[in-house]
Amino acid sequence: MAKDKIRVIELFAGVGGFRIGLEGASDAYETVWNNQWEPSTQHQDASLVYKARFGSNGHSNKDINLVPTTDIPDHDLLVGGFPCQDYSVAASLSRSGGIEGKKGVLWWQIHRILLEKGDKRPRYIFFENVDRLLNSPATQRGRDFAIILASLADLGYVVEWRIINAADYGMPQRRRRTYIVGYQKDSVVAKKIEKMEDWVEFDGVMAKAFEFRPKDKTVSEFDIEGTIKEVSDGFNKGKKESPFGNAGMMMDRHIYSVDAEPVYDGPRQTLGGNLIDEKLVPEDFFISEEELPKWEYEKGAKKIERVSKEGYKYMFSEGGMAFPDNLDQPSRTIITGEGGASPSRFKHVVKTKSGRYRRLLPIELERMNMFPDNHTLHPQVSDGRRAFLMGNALVCGIIEQIGKSLYQFIYDEAPVSSKPIFTARDKSPMLDLGLFADEEKILVVNRPKKQYTLDKSKHLLIGVVKKDNEEYFLKEEPTKIYYTGTSGTFPSTIALNKLYYFMPYIKGKGVSDLYLIRVARLGTKAEVHPETEDERPRLVFELEYLESLPNNRWVRLDKDTSFAFMDTLLGRIFND
């Protein structure tokens, strides 16, 4: 694997959530081939969007069951959000050592590719699935996940997993999903594993990406034994609960798992903070007074007498849903039926400042999954289908954080990306100049806001922005990287472990924007601006935008120092 490239294959690609997240993590991730096929439909909306945003090169819009492994380039990392299906095994193929699952079960296509790649199979794998994967099926809790882990162990992988709710880590949607990362046993990452318990709870890729504390008395250790067919037939049979905790790992079919409680105290995004201005919402997204009672009924609690197919009467009941949705919390899980004007129990409805009720726009659904604004905007894709695509998508911010962690474990250095996840991809293909001719004006308004509490007792670093970097800091983007002069020019009197906030000082303008310091590390100017070829060590601050002062403020830097920095308390700036 070349240090400047991690070759990625993206299966079940959708509209590119894995690609966006990985590219947002590091420029080293390069998607060399991808496959997206929506069965039982002629209009391949996701494929259209994917090609429009990333181009047709290396894109496959063909049933993966029909794609020979020889057509798939060799790669370092295989990723994909494979569908949740019945993973039971029909038979073992003793002759080839392979597995024959039920027809159309796409997990076995992943297995087939890994198996047939042989010595050239990827060093790393990264998958996403629904949270119930660890508990399915209801008649044999945990069997499906055991089949997956056992088959990966037999292919030489060490695997770790976490069930993560994106909202628990400040992201704008309550979306619980299972994330699976695996490493070939002789890879640099797998060789760093010393003790399974420590890897799961403190030292591993998942633990570094998303901190947690283990719940008391939830540790589970056991071995998955037998052939894949025997696992399918007998794993956990007759028991009511799955043995898998929501955080864990597998090595040589031995399992260590625990239930995790998230640890996070940073800024949080909400549904309300991601809405666009009411005056820009098209009229057909508002709910009329005549339709409103139908929505209220769908959202309300119900008790309805029904008759089964066998003729038995029974009482169907369901609880009420929030109506309208709470703007001060992350959104509920986006589902595929989110689009369309018909009243629904599960679609989001928000109340505007004027008192009107409305549905969510596609751009707002994209923001809930942390996609770039208007990522799914395409002249051949309706608003309803755009909503469907977001219901099938993942939260890009989760992929980004795991991608960063994985990179650090591979290379023992901080990842750098020139394409943060909010970066819109250019329209492609460029040769078809008329493709987007009828596209409406792209709607980009009021960047998302976050909820947080400013701590005025925390230390604030004010740093002068050099002339060649001023335009970069004047752009309204949610993340930035600030690098100091060479290491000898940063004042030794500033305690890095106390720094919490950052404000860029632009000559002639003063300070305005406030950032949270996410990471302070050693780096070079060349990693941010490779054209300089400047490899001298510098301090690098990775920043997350919080807010701006109403007006620019002048700050008097110490005239007795040659350093272009000031270490102060946030309260001094905000109270002055």
Side-chain angles (χ1 to χ4, degrees):
M1 184 189 309
K3 186 173 180 180
D4 60 348
K5 182 185 296 186
I6 299 174
R7 297 166 299 169
V8 180
I9 296 293
E10 185 179 16
L11 301 179
F12 323 114
V15 293
F18 261 103
R19 183 167 184 164
I20 288 170
L22 290 174
E23 288 182 355
S26 170
D27 288 339
Y29 293 108
E30 180 181 346
T31 301
V32 296
W33 191 87
N34 54 86
N35 176 271
Q36 168 54 34
W37 170 259
E38 186 70 29
S40 305
T41 178
Q42 278 191 316
H43 203 264
Q44 297 287 320
D45 299 288
S47 176
L48 285 171
V49 170
Y50 197 104
K51 288 189 292 184
R53 296 303 176 221
F54 302 108
S56 300
N57 188 32
H59 179 73
S60 167
N61 180 217
K62 185 177 179 180
D63 185 351
I64 192 64
N65 291 278
L66 306 177
V67 177
T69 302
T70 52
D71 288 355
I72 300 174
D74 293 339
H75 52 286
D76 308 302
L77 173 64
L78 179 67
V79 306
F82 60 98
C84 183
Q85 298 165 308
D86 183 352
Y87 303 98
S88 59
V89 174
S92 293
L93 299 180
S94 57
R95 183 178 60 182
S96 66
I99 302 298
E100 181 182 320
K102 290 184 178 179
K103 185 178 181 180
V105 177
L106 296 176
W107 163 255
W108 298 117
Q109 295 306 311
I110 293 175
H111 183 275
R112 185 254 303 179
I113 293 166
L114 293 173
L115 179 68
E116 293 180 0
K117 278 293 180 181
D119 293 340
K120 294 184 177 181
R121 70 177 56 116
R123 311 290 282 169
Y124 306 102
I125 54 178
F126 182 8
F127 305 128
E128 179 256 9
N129 204 277
V130 295
D131 60 335
R132 67 178 180 272
L133 175 64
L134 272 62
N135 293 285
S136 65
T139 56
Q140 202 176 334
R141 296 291 186 186
R143 181 207 69 191
D144 290 350
F145 195 49
I147 291 173
I148 290 171
L149 292 180
S151 60
L152 288 174
D154 296 348
L155 289 170
Y157 288 97
V158 177
V159 177
E160 62 174 309
W161 73 86
R162 276 280 295 281
I163 293 179
I164 300 172
N165 184 342
D168 286 340
Y169 293 92
M171 299 178 197
Q173 183 184 173
R174 297 195 292 271
R175 196 176 188 94
R176 282 171 50 90
R177 291 294 185 265
T178 301
Y179 297 90
I180 303 166
V181 183
Y183 331 101
Q184 278 285 317
K185 288 174 64 177
D186 62 349
S187 67
V188 294
V189 177
K191 289 179 180 178
K192 294 179 180 180
I193 302 170
E194 295 181 358
K195 188 177 179 182
M196 292 180 74
E197 176 181 353
D198 289 344
W199 186 266
V200 171
E201 298 184 17
F202 309 108
D203 302 332
V205 171
M206 292 292 196
K208 293 296 186 183
F210 294 101
E211 184 182 355
F212 74 93
R213 66 174 65 91
K215 293 182 181 179
D216 292 339
K217 300 179 181 178
T218 60
V219 171
S220 174
E221 285 197 73
F222 59 93
D223 293 307
I224 302 174
E225 298 177 336
T227 65
I228 299 297
K229 182 69 165 59
E230 289 168 342
V231 174
S232 179
D233 292 343
F235 182 84
N236 208 35
K237 203 162 190 176
K239 297 181 181 179
K240 295 182 179 180
E241 294 184 357
S242 169
F244 296 108
N246 60 20
M249 71 175 297
M250 178 278 301
M251 180 183 290
D252 294 325
R253 288 201 180 203
H254 182 72
I255 304 297
Y256 177 91
S257 75
V258 68
D259 283 339
E261 290 184 329
V263 174
Y264 178 80
D265 62 357
R268 295 182 180 274
Q269 293 194 54
T270 65
L271 171 59
N274 283 275
L275 301 182
I276 71 164
D277 294 335
E278 179 183 359
K279 62 185 179 182
L280 296 170
V281 177
E283 187 61 30
D284 57 341
F285 279 86
F286 287 96
I287 298 171
S288 67
E289 292 185 8
E290 294 76 18
E291 289 288 304
L292 192 58
K294 298 178 184 178
W295 284 89
E296 291 173 335
Y297 171 78
E298 291 291 342
K299 296 282 186 176
K302 304 175 190 65
K303 284 190 177 181
I304 307 170
E305 187 177 87
R306 291 183 174 174
V307 179
S308 69
K309 292 181 179 178
E310 294 78 19
Y312 296 105
K313 291 184 178 181
Y314 67 97
M315 189 63 68
F316 169 78
S317 62
E318 60 185 9
M321 299 279 287
F323 185 75
D325 282 277
N326 190 337
L327 300 183
D328 295 328
Q329 298 291 330
S331 76
R332 291 179 289 105
T333 302
I334 304 299
I335 63 170
T336 54
E338 188 77 36
S342 59
S344 165
R345 174 178 174 81
F346 300 107
K347 295 176 186 177
H348 287 75
V349 174
V350 296
K351 189 175 182 180
T352 65
K353 291 181 179 180
S354 68
R356 300 180 71 187
Y357 293 83
R358 71 170 178 88
R359 298 179 291 113
L360 295 185
L361 295 172
I363 188 176
E364 294 164 336
L365 299 175
E366 291 164 342
R367 288 181 173 184
M368 296 304 117
N369 278 322
M370 301 178 73
F371 277 76
D373 283 358
N374 295 297
H375 181 77
T376 60
L377 185 65
H378 191 287
Q380 298 176 31
V381 180
S382 67
D383 284 345
R385 294 300 294 175
R386 290 178 67 186
F388 177 88
L389 296 176
M390 284 298 99
N392 265 342
L394 44 72
V395 179
C396 297
I398 298 287
I399 305 302
E400 178 190 34
Q401 292 305 311
I402 296 174
K404 285 182 178 180
S405 184
L406 178 59
Y407 178 93
Q408 287 181 299
F409 274 86
I410 294 173
Y411 293 123
D412 290 319
E413 65 181 27
V416 177
S417 171
S418 60
K419 293 181 181 177
I421 58 176
F422 60 82
T423 305
R425 271 57 179 180
D426 292 335
K427 301 183 190 71
S428 299
M430 301 307 293
L431 292 177
D432 189 356
L433 300 179
L435 178 60
F436 288 83
D438 298 328
E439 187 177 283
E440 295 179 6
K441 183 179 180 181
I442 291 180
L443 185 64
V444 179
V445 292
N446 57 297
R447 57 184 170 185
K449 301 175 183 177
K450 302 177 182 179
Q451 287 189 343
Y452 51 86
T453 301
L454 293 181
D455 187 341
K456 295 181 180 179
S457 67
K458 295 285 189 183
H459 281 251
L460 165 70
L461 177 67
I462 298 175
V464 172
V465 175
K466 299 244 179 110
K467 194 72 177 174
D468 61 353
N469 222 23
E470 287 182 0
E471 183 178 350
Y472 170 69
F473 269 91
L474 290 173
K475 290 180 181 178
E476 292 190 351
E477 296 174 344
T479 60
K480 291 280 194 298
I481 294 179
Y482 177 87
Y483 59 91
T484 69
T486 53
S487 57
T489 64
F490 191 81
S492 59
T493 54
I494 294 180
L496 291 176
N497 64 321
K498 290 187 176 181
L499 295 179
Y500 197 81
Y501 299 108
F502 176 85
M503 296 188 82
Y505 183 97
I506 297 178
K507 292 178 181 179
K509 295 181 182 293
V511 297
S512 173
D513 296 339
L514 177 67
Y515 293 85
L516 180 70
I517 299 176
R518 280 293 191 186
V519 176
R521 59 178 173 82
L522 202 62
T524 69
K525 187 174 182 178
E527 69 179 29
V528 183
H529 298 286
E531 70 280 0
T532 65
E533 300 183 352
D534 187 345
E535 300 286 350
R536 291 175 296 174
R538 304 166 186 266
L539 283 173
V540 179
F541 295 96
E542 297 181 15
L543 310 170
E544 178 179 349
Y545 173 81
L546 295 179
E547 62 181 79
S548 299
L549 298 173
N551 300 295
N552 284 26
R553 183 165 298 173
W554 296 104
V555 176
R556 182 176 296 177
L557 299 181
D558 190 345
K559 293 181 180 179
D560 297 328
T561 178
S562 60
F563 302 126
F565 304 96
M566 174 190 285
D567 178 16
T568 185
L569 297 181
L570 183 66
R572 179 183 171 191
I573 299 298
F574 273 68
N575 293 338
D576 192 356

